[in-house]
Amino acid sequence: MVTSRSAGTSPGFGGEVPAAPPALSGVDAETAVEMLFDRHQLRMLRVATVLVGDPVAAEDVVQDAFLAVHAGWDRIRNKDEAVGYLHRSVVNGARSRLRRRSVVFRLAGLRQHDQISAEDAALRAQLPKPLMEAIGALPRREREAVLLRHYLDLSEKETADALGLRPGSVKAYASRGLAKLRAVLEPAAGPAARPQEQG
């Protein structure tokens, strides 16, 4: 399993300011993955944990993503944008894990109407209940765009790379998602409940 070798702040609406990315062109796969790991492992772990809702499964997803970058290093054309490939690998791995889990629940007949998903359980531990419920009610694309863009502080480009979308689509999904959150939260709790929209 992947273990953290870097420090960072807790995820939230607002927070860390990333430093300039290291140059990856011209380095071998092993060195590049070490550099990516040192810089991005914590953020990737946050993304995976929010999406799959299970820290142990999230570590496996992130480890698989770093292994995929290492194995496919020669096929990545723009080495300095390898973090986008890494984001996509994490998101796709998380989605795949959720699909398998859903099939297992369905086949085993274990998913009851009063049970919550692992993703919802992870969010519930970190977010106020009204906000968690409002985020959980969003369509998948809007929920992912809001979580990655505003909860995990990814840039529009990083979010677009992670979700396999254009930046304009990310902006539209996030804007619709935030508008729906405001519509639900403002009447119930007033301005204090508003998620902060970032540039």
Side-chain angles (χ1 to χ4, degrees):
M1 277 186 276
V2 173
T3 55
S4 175
R5 288 164 53 189
S6 57
T9 60
S10 300
F13 288 93
E16 12 180 309
V17 177
L24 296 173
S25 46
V27 301
D28 62 87
E30 187 142 347
T31 303
V33 169
E34 284 180 9
M35 292 167 71
L36 287 167
F37 185 89
D38 286 340
R39 181 173 172 79
H40 297 288
Q41 182 266 347
L42 183 59
R43 175 171 278 188
M44 298 301 160
L45 197 52
R46 290 177 183 168
V47 171
T49 300
V50 165
L51 293 177
V52 301
D54 174 0
V56 174
E59 287 184 356
D60 290 341
V61 166
V62 170
Q63 179 171 284
D64 289 346
F66 278 103
L67 289 172
V69 169
H70 186 274
W73 186 246
D74 291 337
R75 295 190 302 275
I76 298 174
R77 289 182 195 170
N78 187 342
K79 309 296 190 196
D80 290 329
E81 294 195 4
V83 67
Y85 181 88
L86 187 58
H87 269 125
R88 278 192 300 279
S89 294
V90 169
V91 170
N92 290 337
R95 287 176 179 165
S96 177
R97 180 79 55 141
L98 288 172
R99 278 194 299 271
R100 286 196 302 271
R101 183 187 298 160
S102 177
V103 169
V104 168
F105 278 139
R106 214 166 35 244
L107 292 176
L110 296 176
R111 186 134 194 197
Q112 304 297 325
H113 292 298
D114 59 349
Q115 289 181 318
I116 64 169
S117 70
E119 179 186 12
D120 289 342
L123 289 174
R124 181 170 290 180
Q126 300 179 44
L127 300 175
K129 185 177 178 183
L131 180 56
M132 186 278 296
E133 289 176 347
I135 289 173
L138 294 175
R140 189 193 82 185
R141 287 289 196 194
E142 291 175 14
R143 182 173 63 249
E144 289 176 346
V146 167
L147 287 172
L148 298 184
R149 179 75 182 94
H150 298 285
Y151 181 65
L152 295 173
D153 297 326
L154 270 62
S155 69
E156 246 171 43
K157 184 179 185 311
E158 288 172 328
T159 303
D161 287 344
L163 299 179
L165 299 171
R166 293 191 170 117
S169 298
V170 166
K171 192 169 187 176
Y173 282 123
S175 178
R176 284 200 297 268
L178 289 174
K180 289 175 184 176
L181 292 180
R182 285 192 192 98
V184 170
L185 297 173
E186 285 181 355
R194 296 178 192 173
Q196 296 171 357
E197 187 165 359
Q198 300 171 1

